[in-house]
Amino acid sequence: MSSELNHQISHSSWIPDSPTTIILIHGAFASSTWWDLVIPHLSGYHILAPNLPGHGQSSEKEFSIQNATTTITQLIRSHAKDSHAHIVGHSLGARVAIHIAETNPSLVDSVFISGYGSLPQTALTPYIPYAVWMTQRLENLVPRSVIRWAMDGTDIPRIDTRLSTLRLCQSVMAPTETKGPKPWNARTCIIVAGKGGIVPSADSRSAAVRLLEIGKLGNKSTVAFWHPDMRHPWIRQDPGLFADSVKAWIEGRELPHGFEMIVS
């Protein structure tokens, strides 16, 4: 594994001699280290795990979907094998992954995303970043053992509140266009983690259906699945299953047992 900080974005790299590159894009208020449980299951692939602007070692950068897209596409051009890669995005990273596929199709071999969502403009929108900022600090006070108990063993690291500033919350929680992205031509798999319960951790199925309909306009091979036992942060709940699902999609095989197809 190697790690470097260039003038654009910090990232880590694994197995650089592999002929096939996977880009792992993490979610909001996390960093590339959130993939540390998944990466050991992706042996055989060249892995690039960037820190989104405003996050981790890229915290000095200003976050926006466009800024994230620009920096990650530069990373693909300069470090991915033959300047193209399979794009994997979780949560906020899913939005970035779709935007990369939409705006830079020549760089993308396939897309695998989970936890896609959007934030519409409402009367409450200006107050959401403040609520997120406060919630993060309250959640950090909860023992990790309690969180693992409530979320089926999900190993969620504490958020570094020194980096998760109110300004970052405002940037991340900025409302998105209600129409969604334009159709993109990459072969795409959309995953919905379906389990809620005591902790409301299920993904939005309706958001996935809307995205599926748009995706099919660009590539009829676009599909969506949901898993009733996985929670939103399933990269930390069952990292082996997540990695096996990514590999199955990249390699053109059926997803592991437990996924159910969503029909739009």
Side-chain angles (χ1 to χ4, degrees):
M1 185 272 284
S2 66
S3 179
E4 71 177 78
L5 178 63
N6 60 29
H7 69 286
Q8 291 297 335
I9 193 171
S10 70
H11 71 277
S12 296
S13 175
W14 288 262
I15 320 179
D17 293 334
S18 174
T20 304
T21 300
I22 299 175
I23 302 284
L24 300 177
I25 309 176
H26 65 78
F29 315 114
S31 71
S32 61
T33 61
W34 269 61
W35 296 107
D36 61 1
L37 302 180
V38 173
I39 288 169
H41 300 280
L42 292 174
S43 60
Y45 288 95
H46 173 217
I47 305 297
L48 291 173
N51 288 288
L52 288 173
H55 297 72
Q57 294 183 47
S58 298
S59 59
E60 78 284 358
K61 307 294 183 182
E62 186 73 23
F63 178 81
S64 69
I65 296 296
Q66 181 57 57
N67 196 20
T69 296
T70 298
T71 53
I72 293 177
T73 54
Q74 289 174 346
L75 178 66
I76 294 172
R77 290 189 176 98
S78 60
H79 288 77
K81 299 298 179 178
D82 299 321
S83 298
H84 56 85
H86 299 275
I87 314 296
V88 176
H90 177 254
S91 195
L92 178 63
R95 287 173 54 196
V96 176
I98 293 299
H99 196 253
I100 291 172
E102 176 190 344
T103 57
N104 295 270
S106 65
L107 306 181
V108 180
D109 292 327
S110 73
V111 176
F112 182 98
I113 61 171
S114 178
Y116 180 90
S118 59
L119 185 67
Q121 180 77 53
T122 70
L124 297 176
T125 298
Y127 305 100
I128 292 177
Y130 295 91
V132 170
W133 184 87
M134 180 60 69
T135 299
Q136 291 173 349
R137 282 143 181 82
L138 293 175
E139 287 180 351
N140 271 358
L141 299 176
V142 180
R144 299 299 97 175
S145 59
V146 173
I147 291 179
R148 286 192 293 271
W149 169 80
M151 296 188 67
D152 303 313
T154 305
D155 179 13
I156 299 181
R158 284 185 170 85
I159 290 174
D160 188 342
T161 54
R162 297 171 301 173
L163 300 179
S164 182
T165 63
L166 179 58
R167 183 176 181 179
L168 178 61
C169 292
Q170 291 170 328
S171 298
V172 168
M173 306 308 294
T176 53
E177 295 184 12
T178 56
K179 294 182 180 179
K182 296 179 182 178
W184 63 97
N185 63 15
R187 175 174 161 269
T188 301
C189 181
I190 303 163
I191 301 294
V192 177
K195 190 166 186 180
I198 297 174
V199 179
S201 59
D203 295 333
S204 171
R205 184 167 178 143
S206 61
V209 169
R210 289 195 298 272
L211 188 66
L212 173 63
E213 292 171 345
I214 297 171
K216 282 186 172 180
L217 296 176
N219 188 319
K220 293 181 179 180
S221 296
T222 296
V223 293
F225 296 87
W226 81 293
H227 197 301
D229 297 324
M230 292 297 104
R231 296 179 180 274
H232 176 76
W234 63 298
I235 63 172
R236 309 291 301 183
Q237 178 189 359
D238 195 336
L241 177 64
F242 189 95
D244 288 346
S245 302
V246 168
K247 289 187 292 185
W249 181 247
I250 289 173
E251 296 166 9
R253 298 183 283 106
E254 291 187 4
L255 296 190
H257 177 74
F259 290 94
E260 302 177 24
M261 181 170 282
I262 296 174
V263 180
S264 61

